[in-house]
Amino acid sequence: MSEGRIRVLIAKPGLDGHDRGAKVLARAMRDAGFEVIYTGLRQTPDQIVSAAVQEDVDVIGLSILSGAHNHLFPRIMQLLEEAGAEHILVIAGGVIPEEDIPALEKLGVSRVFTPGTPTSEAIGFIRERVGA
Amino acid sequence: MFDEKKLREIEEQKRKWEEGPVAKTIGRFPEMKEEFTTLSGYPVERTYTPEHIADIDYEKDLGFPGEFPFTRGAQPTMYRGRLWTMRQYAGFGSAEESNARYKYLLEQGQTGLSVAFDLPTQIGYDSDEPISAGEVGKVGVAIDSVRDVQTLFDGIPLDKVSTSMTINAPASILLAMYVAIGEQGGHGPDALSGTIQNDILKEYVARGTYIFPPEPSMRLITDIFAYCSQHMPNFNTISISGYHMREAGCTAAQEVGFTLANAIAYVDAAVEAGLEVDSFAPRLSFFFAAQSDLLEEVAKFRAARRLWARIMRERYGASDKSARLRFHTQTAGCTLTAQQPDNNIVRVTLQALAAVLGGTQSLHTNSRDEALALPTEDSVRIALRTQQILAHESGVADTVDPLAGSFYVERLTDDVEEAAREYIREIDDRGGAPAAIEEGYIQRQIQESAYDHQKAVESEERVVVGVNRFRTEEKKAWDLLRVDPAIEERQREKLENLKASRDAARVETALEELAGAASTDANLMHPILEAVRSEATLGEISGAMRSVFGEYRAPIVL
Amino acid sequence: MERCEIDAMISGIRDNRPGTLARAISMIEDEEPDSAHLLEGLHPFTGGSHVVGITGPPGSGKSTLTDRITKHLRKRSKSVGVVAVDPTSPFSGGALLGDRTRMGDLATDPEVFIRSMGTRGSLGGLSRAVYGAIKVLEAAAKDVILVETVGVGQSEVDIARVADTVVVVFVPGLGDDVQAIKAGITEIGDLLVVNKADLPGASRVESVLESTLNLAPPREEPAPKIASASAERDEGVEELLDLIEEHRNLARESGLLELRRRMRARAEITAILARRVSRHTEGYLSDGDNGWYRRLTRGEVSPGELAEELWSKLLGQESEG
């Protein structure tokens, strides 16, 4: 009998300090029964990937509002691959223009949630993709 | 404002009205909700009557505009004398591009500048440092040295335009750069007017661009107070900001309470450092959000003015000039939706109206596309036009404090003031704002409110048009502003040129002297000015202070 | 999982491969059937690390202290494993684990492995998971393993008390210093640290601790030592680390270490058993339809008899399985 619980790493890459969305989502996920590891601000791609590996998470949620996603996300995806952790589902949220999304998805980001998305939608998406 | 007898009569009539017509109407058409609340969650009654303001004393609680306790406004004639400053927060990419945007805004009738810096600048890193990668020029203009600041204000008359700079941890450095380019253009520091945000406490709480621990950060702030009180009489030395805490999710009363608690901490620190209250307090300024609950926001602005005036008099025996709260307002970014972006124009209009009815001194109106990216020129123009329509067509600027005397607004003003006072009391009990922040009290309050709001939106208890109701299928490609990624390379080149052409020995001496002064209690503005003049970079100057002060690690409150 | 896969996992752990360590800890935490085999396989490689428990009330700055201790250990070229335990929400079963926020810059050091854990709440489950995680980190040859747990006095979350060296963190101003002392918390610590020593009231906490120790009945183990530190300012941490190492050396010589290890092994065995029993019985008792409660209310059985019945059933199943 496995008691596996969905584990999620919520990370804020880059220098952006706006963490309202990240924290609200973290709480909503906890209330949905997930184990949420929050990394805090100013995380480098290396820190995020190492933390995700050590914590053996099922999902990484990246929150960014500064516009640096096109620079930071490819690096994160590359490091995940190097660490043999491509199985981790990566989702993102924040101020990310619609036209950037296809390229991010091509990199392996499973879903980009734009402002106004209910937390229940992100949670539902994770449940559907990770199970449990 | 009504006598006892009259009040009793009104009370009696109200009872009859409730038992009669109201009960009958509700019998046929029930009200839409059991309880109506303001955006901040305060219960809202069916209607307000003179009873609700029976305990308000006109002379003591309201008074006249420009007079203590300033409930009705900071100046006697308000917008009849001079309109608020229309100040759009702007900046992106390089100093050249931002300079062009400023000139465009001034041509369009904007009356003051407001500079947005990129994140590396705000956290004291040069554009060529590894940690800056991807962030250069993104959320604001990239500044590495005084040369960039020169370019940024090229062709703009610094003695005529007031400049607001959203800069906190490295505020002293940017202020010094501004002074330095003023001097180069023949304007002494006393000729410059504007504002630096310089509010570190709310960075710890909500915005995140801190560098140093609280103690040296507070010292840098009081050094600026002291320097400006002698050299820059027209400069607002700080903009104590509730905006970001509100954006992070707190309520109207919390916004006032937390902001004023931070303000008290700054005043205390300056007094502790030996400054006379009336020497610096008149140059304190404030910055609030304008949210969508129009009347609650108007009440909030009025309550903030009154409460601050009372605090300054009660706690510090300050003069009326020191007790007068002046503030900048920005419409609430968190209400902007990515869905149906044009609706944002209407939201911004309502929020801007609240700011004007609340007596703001300056105003930034958000652009419709800011939930998607940085605003385009077209969007910024509409946002500015919104202010101009309010100013020139709506008539609301023609009389001072037009909502005074509204039973509802006066009641709410009183309630917001009392609730804010309660938060300040709570924070005092915890040893003041810095201690309450270290302990996570303020952050926790904000997060609770933010989470409650989110749940209310998801359960559709709160309607957000276009998001949880009245949705439409839309597939409109937006024309978005893009920051050219080549900016990073260009800044790197500029830095290389700078480092090759400046007097390296002078830079080194200046940085050593700054580090030396940092470990004494000398005013740091002077060594910072010298470092700026020597063309040391922002990263180098911050680095010299980092080496002495260390870096702050925020308590993360979950 | 095939035997060879478990062997591969064990060798991955011994090679200090972060992904394998992480996966192994999850297996144990999730009580995957293979985790028992894994733990068996790891056992021969355990016992070489210095296990340090760090415990104290919420807000005492444990994570910051853990972060600083780790950094000083790294300066001494020691490899470090950290297990940080935070409470699981009893309502949703989810948890917000925030200890890493204090340790962000340690994430990329290959000689540091940090793992956050929720208490999850099943009887014996947490203890089993933490002991398991310690084993994994021991097999990965971490020199020091820091186990950080919230709360004091509750045996379930108080795994820290069976560490080789137990550090209890106090802090001025929480108002619970005296409470904690009353609750006998001073008795479980080898080192009592007053953190945030720069705050007013720190010296009072220290003196309260001292007088409590003076009044305490004599015990076999050496009396706890009191230290003060300010983790935020990185003051007193070096000295604390000296005390931690000194404790370990003395404990080894005096036989205390042996005693602690025995206690830990006993606690681990108890936890495994408790978990095993509760997993069998929880299922039965949470099922409202099998009529046990009806029988109880009708007076057909007493709780004691029902327990006896379940016990026999359990023994029967065990001997079959």
Side-chain angles (χ1 to χ4, degrees), chain C residues 155-184:
Chain C
S155 61
E156 180 64 20
V157 284
D158 227 7
I159 296 102
R161 64 191 303 167
V162 291
D164 300 335
T165 304
V166 179
V167 178
V168 183
V169 187
F170 296 85
V171 69
L174 282 187
D176 54 6
D177 41 344
V178 180
Q179 284 300 322
I181 290 161
K182 274 190 199 151

PDB file of all heavy atoms in Angstrom, chain C residues 155-184:
ATOM      1  N   SER C 155       6.177  12.932  21.633  1.00  0.00           N
ATOM      2  CA  SER C 155       7.146  11.919  21.240  1.00  0.00           C
ATOM      3  C   SER C 155       7.111  11.647  19.733  1.00  0.00           C
ATOM      4  O   SER C 155       8.120  11.384  19.120  1.00  0.00           O
ATOM      5  CB  SER C 155       6.890  10.634  22.006  1.00  0.00           C
ATOM      6  OG  SER C 155       5.601  10.158  21.708  1.00  0.00           O
ATOM      7  N   GLU C 156       5.914  11.778  19.165  1.00  0.00           N
ATOM      8  CA  GLU C 156       5.790  11.455  17.750  1.00  0.00           C
ATOM      9  C   GLU C 156       6.682  12.313  16.854  1.00  0.00           C
ATOM     10  O   GLU C 156       7.299  11.836  15.926  1.00  0.00           O
ATOM     11  CB  GLU C 156       4.325  11.575  17.311  1.00  0.00           C
ATOM     12  CG  GLU C 156       4.045  11.267  15.861  1.00  0.00           C
ATOM     13  CD  GLU C 156       4.339   9.815  15.490  1.00  0.00           C
ATOM     14  OE1 GLU C 156       4.401   8.954  16.384  1.00  0.00           O
ATOM     15  OE2 GLU C 156       4.510   9.556  14.305  1.00  0.00           O
ATOM     16  N   VAL C 157       6.727  13.619  17.165  1.00  0.00           N
ATOM     17  CA  VAL C 157       7.548  14.494  16.325  1.00  0.00           C
ATOM     18  C   VAL C 157       8.922  14.706  16.922  1.00  0.00           C
ATOM     19  O   VAL C 157       9.750  15.394  16.353  1.00  0.00           O
ATOM     20  CB  VAL C 157       6.882  15.872  16.117  1.00  0.00           C
ATOM     21  CG1 VAL C 157       5.765  15.753  15.121  1.00  0.00           C
ATOM     22  CG2 VAL C 157       6.415  16.463  17.412  1.00  0.00           C
ATOM     23  N   ASP C 158       9.142  14.137  18.068  1.00  0.00           N
ATOM     24  CA  ASP C 158      10.358  14.453  18.783  1.00  0.00           C
ATOM     25  C   ASP C 158      11.490  13.467  18.531  1.00  0.00           C
ATOM     26  O   ASP C 158      12.183  13.057  19.450  1.00  0.00           O
ATOM     27  CB  ASP C 158      10.047  14.525  20.279  1.00  0.00           C
ATOM     28  CG  ASP C 158      10.668  15.777  20.877  1.00  0.00           C
ATOM     29  OD1 ASP C 158      11.178  16.589  20.091  1.00  0.00           O
ATOM     30  OD2 ASP C 158      10.645  15.915  22.098  1.00  0.00           O
ATOM     31  N   ILE C 159      11.655  13.111  17.279  1.00  0.00           N
ATOM     32  CA  ILE C 159      12.699  12.161  16.926  1.00  0.00           C
ATOM     33  C   ILE C 159      14.064  12.685  17.328  1.00  0.00           C
ATOM     34  O   ILE C 159      14.968  11.919  17.643  1.00  0.00           O
ATOM     35  CB  ILE C 159      12.711  11.902  15.411  1.00  0.00           C
ATOM     36  CG1 ILE C 159      11.408  11.255  15.009  1.00  0.00           C
ATOM     37  CG2 ILE C 159      13.819  10.976  15.025  1.00  0.00           C
ATOM     38  CD1 ILE C 159      10.462  12.171  14.371  1.00  0.00           C
ATOM     39  N   ALA C 160      14.145  14.024  17.361  1.00  0.00           N
ATOM     40  CA  ALA C 160      15.438  14.634  17.674  1.00  0.00           C
ATOM     41  C   ALA C 160      16.019  14.082  18.967  1.00  0.00           C
ATOM     42  O   ALA C 160      17.229  13.996  19.130  1.00  0.00           O
ATOM     43  CB  ALA C 160      15.266  16.141  17.780  1.00  0.00           C
ATOM     44  N   ARG C 161      15.154  13.676  19.883  1.00  0.00           N
ATOM     45  CA  ARG C 161      15.654  13.294  21.200  1.00  0.00           C
ATOM     46  C   ARG C 161      16.464  12.004  21.178  1.00  0.00           C
ATOM     47  O   ARG C 161      17.170  11.723  22.133  1.00  0.00           O
ATOM     48  CB  ARG C 161      14.517  13.195  22.203  1.00  0.00           C
ATOM     49  CG  ARG C 161      13.521  12.102  21.862  1.00  0.00           C
ATOM     50  CD  ARG C 161      12.290  12.220  22.710  1.00  0.00           C
ATOM     51  NE  ARG C 161      12.586  12.186  24.132  1.00  0.00           N
ATOM     52  CZ  ARG C 161      11.710  12.509  25.071  1.00  0.00           C
ATOM     53  NH1 ARG C 161      10.514  12.928  24.724  1.00  0.00           N
ATOM     54  NH2 ARG C 161      12.024  12.411  26.328  1.00  0.00           N
ATOM     55  N   VAL C 162      16.346  11.225  20.157  1.00  0.00           N
ATOM     56  CA  VAL C 162      17.163  10.007  20.106  1.00  0.00           C
ATOM     57  C   VAL C 162      18.358  10.153  19.177  1.00  0.00           C
ATOM     58  O   VAL C 162      18.966   9.188  18.771  1.00  0.00           O
ATOM     59  CB  VAL C 162      16.335   8.768  19.710  1.00  0.00           C
ATOM     60  CG1 VAL C 162      15.368   8.419  20.821  1.00  0.00           C
ATOM     61  CG2 VAL C 162      15.627   8.994  18.408  1.00  0.00           C
ATOM     62  N   ALA C 163      18.699  11.406  18.876  1.00  0.00           N
ATOM     63  CA  ALA C 163      19.906  11.637  18.097  1.00  0.00           C
ATOM     64  C   ALA C 163      21.132  11.395  18.978  1.00  0.00           C
ATOM     65  O   ALA C 163      21.012  11.255  20.185  1.00  0.00           O
ATOM     66  CB  ALA C 163      19.896  13.074  17.585  1.00  0.00           C
ATOM     67  N   ASP C 164      22.313  11.337  18.340  1.00  0.00           N
ATOM     68  CA  ASP C 164      23.539  11.171  19.131  1.00  0.00           C
ATOM     69  C   ASP C 164      23.742  12.383  20.028  1.00  0.00           C
ATOM     70  O   ASP C 164      24.183  12.267  21.167  1.00  0.00           O
ATOM     71  CB  ASP C 164      24.763  11.051  18.202  1.00  0.00           C
ATOM     72  CG  ASP C 164      24.642   9.854  17.270  1.00  0.00           C
ATOM     73  OD1 ASP C 164      23.920   8.904  17.633  1.00  0.00           O
ATOM     74  OD2 ASP C 164      25.269   9.886  16.192  1.00  0.00           O
ATOM     75  N   THR C 165      23.447  13.528  19.471  1.00  0.00           N
ATOM     76  CA  THR C 165      23.559  14.781  20.221  1.00  0.00           C
ATOM     77  C   THR C 165      22.271  15.553  20.001  1.00  0.00           C
ATOM     78  O   THR C 165      21.816  15.696  18.870  1.00  0.00           O
ATOM     79  CB  THR C 165      24.740  15.629  19.696  1.00  0.00           C
ATOM     80  OG1 THR C 165      25.928  14.846  19.764  1.00  0.00           O
ATOM     81  CG2 THR C 165      24.910  16.901  20.519  1.00  0.00           C
ATOM     82  N   VAL C 166      21.671  16.014  21.091  1.00  0.00           N
ATOM     83  CA  VAL C 166      20.395  16.716  20.975  1.00  0.00           C
ATOM     84  C   VAL C 166      20.584  18.179  21.343  1.00  0.00           C
ATOM     85  O   VAL C 166      21.046  18.510  22.432  1.00  0.00           O
ATOM     86  CB  VAL C 166      19.339  16.080  21.900  1.00  0.00           C
ATOM     87  CG1 VAL C 166      18.017  16.834  21.779  1.00  0.00           C
ATOM     88  CG2 VAL C 166      19.156  14.612  21.554  1.00  0.00           C
ATOM     89  N   VAL C 167      20.221  19.044  20.391  1.00  0.00           N
ATOM     90  CA  VAL C 167      20.308  20.481  20.621  1.00  0.00           C
ATOM     91  C   VAL C 167      18.892  21.009  20.767  1.00  0.00           C
ATOM     92  O   VAL C 167      18.062  20.806  19.878  1.00  0.00           O
ATOM     93  CB  VAL C 167      21.005  21.191  19.435  1.00  0.00           C
ATOM     94  CG1 VAL C 167      21.041  22.694  19.649  1.00  0.00           C
ATOM     95  CG2 VAL C 167      22.409  20.632  19.232  1.00  0.00           C
ATOM     96  N   VAL C 168      18.599  21.646  21.882  1.00  0.00           N
ATOM     97  CA  VAL C 168      17.275  22.252  22.056  1.00  0.00           C
ATOM     98  C   VAL C 168      17.432  23.763  21.962  1.00  0.00           C
ATOM     99  O   VAL C 168      18.290  24.351  22.617  1.00  0.00           O
ATOM    100  CB  VAL C 168      16.649  21.866  23.411  1.00  0.00           C
ATOM    101  CG1 VAL C 168      15.240  22.445  23.518  1.00  0.00           C
ATOM    102  CG2 VAL C 168      16.601  20.354  23.561  1.00  0.00           C
ATOM    103  N   VAL C 169      16.620  24.371  21.122  1.00  0.00           N
ATOM    104  CA  VAL C 169      16.752  25.803  20.865  1.00  0.00           C
ATOM    105  C   VAL C 169      15.713  26.582  21.669  1.00  0.00           C
ATOM    106  O   VAL C 169      14.515  26.252  21.626  1.00  0.00           O
ATOM    107  CB  VAL C 169      16.585  26.113  19.362  1.00  0.00           C
ATOM    108  CG1 VAL C 169      16.900  27.578  19.086  1.00  0.00           C
ATOM    109  CG2 VAL C 169      17.472  25.211  18.521  1.00  0.00           C
ATOM    110  N   PHE C 170      16.151  27.579  22.372  1.00  0.00           N
ATOM    111  CA  PHE C 170      15.264  28.487  23.097  1.00  0.00           C
ATOM    112  C   PHE C 170      15.419  29.865  22.497  1.00  0.00           C
ATOM    113  O   PHE C 170      16.392  30.145  21.810  1.00  0.00           O
ATOM    114  CB  PHE C 170      15.645  28.529  24.583  1.00  0.00           C
ATOM    115  CG  PHE C 170      15.463  27.213  25.279  1.00  0.00           C
ATOM    116  CD1 PHE C 170      16.462  26.245  25.229  1.00  0.00           C
ATOM    117  CD2 PHE C 170      14.299  26.937  25.972  1.00  0.00           C
ATOM    118  CE1 PHE C 170      16.295  25.030  25.862  1.00  0.00           C
ATOM    119  CE2 PHE C 170      14.126  25.720  26.615  1.00  0.00           C
ATOM    120  CZ  PHE C 170      15.127  24.764  26.556  1.00  0.00           C
ATOM    121  N   VAL C 171      14.442  30.712  22.784  1.00  0.00           N
ATOM    122  CA  VAL C 171      14.542  32.044  22.238  1.00  0.00           C
ATOM    123  C   VAL C 171      13.815  32.994  23.182  1.00  0.00           C
ATOM    124  O   VAL C 171      12.790  32.638  23.752  1.00  0.00           O
ATOM    125  CB  VAL C 171      13.959  32.059  20.802  1.00  0.00           C
ATOM    126  CG1 VAL C 171      12.470  31.851  20.791  1.00  0.00           C
ATOM    127  CG2 VAL C 171      14.315  33.322  20.073  1.00  0.00           C
ATOM    128  N   PRO C 172      14.373  34.184  23.386  1.00  0.00           N
ATOM    129  CA  PRO C 172      13.680  35.116  24.270  1.00  0.00           C
ATOM    130  C   PRO C 172      12.427  35.668  23.601  1.00  0.00           C
ATOM    131  O   PRO C 172      12.361  35.721  22.374  1.00  0.00           O
ATOM    132  CB  PRO C 172      14.703  36.238  24.490  1.00  0.00           C
ATOM    133  CG  PRO C 172      15.647  36.138  23.358  1.00  0.00           C
ATOM    134  CD  PRO C 172      15.662  34.711  22.927  1.00  0.00           C
ATOM    135  N   GLY C 173      11.466  36.031  24.426  1.00  0.00           N
ATOM    136  CA  GLY C 173      10.336  36.780  23.890  1.00  0.00           C
ATOM    137  C   GLY C 173       9.156  35.954  23.433  1.00  0.00           C
ATOM    138  O   GLY C 173       8.111  36.489  23.130  1.00  0.00           O
ATOM    139  N   LEU C 174       9.311  34.644  23.340  1.00  0.00           N
ATOM    140  CA  LEU C 174       8.159  33.850  22.929  1.00  0.00           C
ATOM    141  C   LEU C 174       7.246  33.571  24.120  1.00  0.00           C
ATOM    142  O   LEU C 174       6.127  33.117  23.956  1.00  0.00           O
ATOM    143  CB  LEU C 174       8.592  32.527  22.299  1.00  0.00           C
ATOM    144  CG  LEU C 174       9.092  32.601  20.860  1.00  0.00           C
ATOM    145  CD1 LEU C 174       9.327  31.218  20.307  1.00  0.00           C
ATOM    146  CD2 LEU C 174       8.113  33.351  19.973  1.00  0.00           C
ATOM    147  N   GLY C 175       7.766  33.847  25.293  1.00  0.00           N
ATOM    148  CA  GLY C 175       6.953  33.670  26.484  1.00  0.00           C
ATOM    149  C   GLY C 175       6.793  32.214  26.876  1.00  0.00           C
ATOM    150  O   GLY C 175       6.160  31.903  27.880  1.00  0.00           O
ATOM    151  N   ASP C 176       7.366  31.323  26.077  1.00  0.00           N
ATOM    152  CA  ASP C 176       7.180  29.912  26.394  1.00  0.00           C
ATOM    153  C   ASP C 176       8.454  29.290  26.951  1.00  0.00           C
ATOM    154  O   ASP C 176       8.539  28.097  27.117  1.00  0.00           O
ATOM    155  CB  ASP C 176       6.703  29.144  25.170  1.00  0.00           C
ATOM    156  CG  ASP C 176       7.616  29.345  23.992  1.00  0.00           C
ATOM    157  OD1 ASP C 176       8.674  29.983  24.160  1.00  0.00           O
ATOM    158  OD2 ASP C 176       7.283  28.888  22.908  1.00  0.00           O
ATOM    159  N   ASP C 177       9.461  30.133  27.199  1.00  0.00           N
ATOM    160  CA  ASP C 177      10.704  29.582  27.729  1.00  0.00           C
ATOM    161  C   ASP C 177      10.451  28.854  29.040  1.00  0.00           C
ATOM    162  O   ASP C 177      10.892  27.732  29.250  1.00  0.00           O
ATOM    163  CB  ASP C 177      11.773  30.669  27.905  1.00  0.00           C
ATOM    164  CG  ASP C 177      11.218  31.964  28.459  1.00  0.00           C
ATOM    165  OD1 ASP C 177       9.973  32.114  28.415  1.00  0.00           O
ATOM    166  OD2 ASP C 177      11.983  32.798  28.930  1.00  0.00           O
ATOM    167  N   VAL C 178       9.677  29.536  29.886  1.00  0.00           N
ATOM    168  CA  VAL C 178       9.405  28.941  31.184  1.00  0.00           C
ATOM    169  C   VAL C 178       8.536  27.694  31.019  1.00  0.00           C
ATOM    170  O   VAL C 178       8.772  26.664  31.646  1.00  0.00           O
ATOM    171  CB  VAL C 178       8.723  29.981  32.101  1.00  0.00           C
ATOM    172  CG1 VAL C 178       8.424  29.364  33.458  1.00  0.00           C
ATOM    173  CG2 VAL C 178       9.606  31.214  32.263  1.00  0.00           C
ATOM    174  N   GLN C 179       7.561  27.810  30.118  1.00  0.00           N
ATOM    175  CA  GLN C 179       6.695  26.663  29.821  1.00  0.00           C
ATOM    176  C   GLN C 179       7.509  25.429  29.432  1.00  0.00           C
ATOM    177  O   GLN C 179       7.329  24.344  29.961  1.00  0.00           O
ATOM    178  CB  GLN C 179       5.758  26.992  28.648  1.00  0.00           C
ATOM    179  CG  GLN C 179       4.614  27.897  29.012  1.00  0.00           C
ATOM    180  CD  GLN C 179       3.741  27.277  30.088  1.00  0.00           C
ATOM    181  OE1 GLN C 179       3.507  26.073  30.091  1.00  0.00           O
ATOM    182  NE2 GLN C 179       3.294  28.099  31.031  1.00  0.00           N
ATOM    183  N   ALA C 180       8.419  25.663  28.507  1.00  0.00           N
ATOM    184  CA  ALA C 180       9.212  24.551  27.979  1.00  0.00           C
ATOM    185  C   ALA C 180      10.038  23.920  29.092  1.00  0.00           C
ATOM    186  O   ALA C 180      10.193  22.704  29.175  1.00  0.00           O
ATOM    187  CB  ALA C 180      10.120  25.042  26.862  1.00  0.00           C
ATOM    188  N   ILE C 181      10.547  24.800  29.956  1.00  0.00           N
ATOM    189  CA  ILE C 181      11.385  24.304  31.031  1.00  0.00           C
ATOM    190  C   ILE C 181      10.547  23.449  31.976  1.00  0.00           C
ATOM    191  O   ILE C 181      10.936  22.366  32.398  1.00  0.00           O
ATOM    192  CB  ILE C 181      12.048  25.494  31.760  1.00  0.00           C
ATOM    193  CG1 ILE C 181      13.083  26.107  30.824  1.00  0.00           C
ATOM    194  CG2 ILE C 181      12.675  25.053  33.064  1.00  0.00           C
ATOM    195  CD1 ILE C 181      13.493  27.502  31.161  1.00  0.00           C
ATOM    196  N   LYS C 182       9.329  23.958  32.256  1.00  0.00           N
ATOM    197  CA  LYS C 182       8.407  23.192  33.092  1.00  0.00           C
ATOM    198  C   LYS C 182       8.121  21.828  32.478  1.00  0.00           C
ATOM    199  O   LYS C 182       7.986  20.840  33.179  1.00  0.00           O
ATOM    200  CB  LYS C 182       7.084  23.948  33.241  1.00  0.00           C
ATOM    201  CG  LYS C 182       7.088  24.948  34.378  1.00  0.00           C
ATOM    202  CD  LYS C 182       5.658  25.432  34.583  1.00  0.00           C
ATOM    203  CE  LYS C 182       5.650  26.737  35.365  1.00  0.00           C
ATOM    204  NZ  LYS C 182       4.489  27.559  35.023  1.00  0.00           N
ATOM    205  N   ALA C 183       7.979  21.825  31.163  1.00  0.00           N
ATOM    206  CA  ALA C 183       7.579  20.588  30.496  1.00  0.00           C
ATOM    207  C   ALA C 183       8.717  19.571  30.463  1.00  0.00           C
ATOM    208  O   ALA C 183       8.587  18.507  29.874  1.00  0.00           O
ATOM    209  CB  ALA C 183       7.118  20.894  29.075  1.00  0.00           C
ATOM    210  N   GLY C 184       9.831  19.902  31.055  1.00  0.00           N
ATOM    211  CA  GLY C 184      10.902  18.929  31.152  1.00  0.00           C
ATOM    212  C   GLY C 184      11.780  18.864  29.925  1.00  0.00           C
ATOM    213  O   GLY C 184      12.577  17.938  29.753  1.00  0.00           O
TER     214      GLY C 184
END
